[in-house]
Amino acid sequence: MTTATKYDRRMYAIMNDRAAAPMYATATRRRAVIGAHVLLTAVGFAAWALTIFGDARWPLFAMLAVLPLWVVATGAINGATRGLLELRRRMLDERQLAERDRVHAVAHRITGLLLLLAAVGAGAAGWIGGVQVEGVVAPVLFAALTVHLLTPLWVAGLRIQDDPAED
C-alpha cells in the first residue's frame, strides 16, 4: 500500500472538515445544495454559450457572478461526500471505494441516457424541425461533457446518508 503524501493528508483534512456541516447535514439540505449546483451549472453554461456563440459580452459577467456560488456549492457537495470523488484511492477505505464505484456506475447510466436523448433530439431538430444541426453541435457536445463530468458529483451527493444522531 502506498503511503499518504502531504497533499493527500491536506486534502483529506479539507474534505473531512465539518465546519460547514450544517449546510448539508440533512438529506433535504443536500438536495437543495445539489439543486442549486445544477441550476448554477445551467446558468453558467448558458452564459458561456451566449458569450461564445452569440455577439453579446454581458453574459460573461453573469458567468463570473455565478462562479463563486458554484464553487461554494461544489465544496459543500464534496464536504457532504467527505471527498468521495476527490480523494485519491489510497485515502479511501474499502466501503468508500465500493461506493465510489457504485456512484460512477449510476452516473454512467444517467449520462448515457442523456447522451442518447441529446442525439435523438438533435437529429429530430434537424430532420423534423429544419434546424441547422451544425449550429447546435458544439453547444450540445460541451453540455454533454459538462453533464458527464458533474453527474458523479450530483449522484454521490444524493446517495450520501445522514450522519448518525449523537446521543
Side-chain angles (χ1 to χ4, degrees), residues 7-162:
Y7 172 80
D8 290 332
R9 289 187 298 275
R10 179 72 180 131
M11 287 303 295
Y12 184 84
I14 290 170
M15 295 295 169
N16 286 280
D17 183 3
R18 305 320 302 161
M23 184 185 295
Y24 49 78
T26 65
T28 303
R29 290 179 186 172
R30 285 190 301 278
R31 283 189 216 109
V33 169
I34 292 166
H37 194 269
V38 170
L39 179 66
L40 291 167
T41 300
V43 169
F45 175 80
W48 172 84
L50 287 171
T51 301
I52 298 299
F53 299 107
D55 292 334
R57 293 292 172 231
W58 66 265
L60 177 65
F61 298 107
M63 184 175 62
L64 293 174
V66 165
L67 185 60
L69 299 171
W70 185 87
V71 168
V72 169
T74 301
I77 299 170
N78 280 328
T81 64
R82 296 182 188 237
L84 184 71
L85 300 171
E86 298 301 320
L87 295 175
R88 296 180 185 172
R89 286 186 70 83
R90 62 179 159 240
M91 297 304 293
L92 301 175
D93 61 27
E94 293 83 16
R95 179 193 54 80
Q96 291 168 316
L97 290 171
E99 179 63 17
R100 179 159 56 179
D101 289 344
R102 284 190 292 275
V103 163
H104 280 119
V106 170
H108 179 73
R109 286 193 294 272
I110 291 169
T111 303
L113 178 62
L114 290 174
L115 285 171
L116 174 66
L117 293 173
V120 168
W127 187 49
I128 297 170
V131 174
Q132 289 287 351
V133 178
E134 296 82 14
V136 295
V137 168
V140 167
L141 286 175
F142 189 77
L145 176 64
T146 302
V147 170
H148 171 73
L149 293 174
L150 293 175
T151 300
L153 182 66
W154 297 333
V155 170
L158 292 172
R159 289 181 54 96
I160 293 298
Q161 301 296 314
D162 290 344

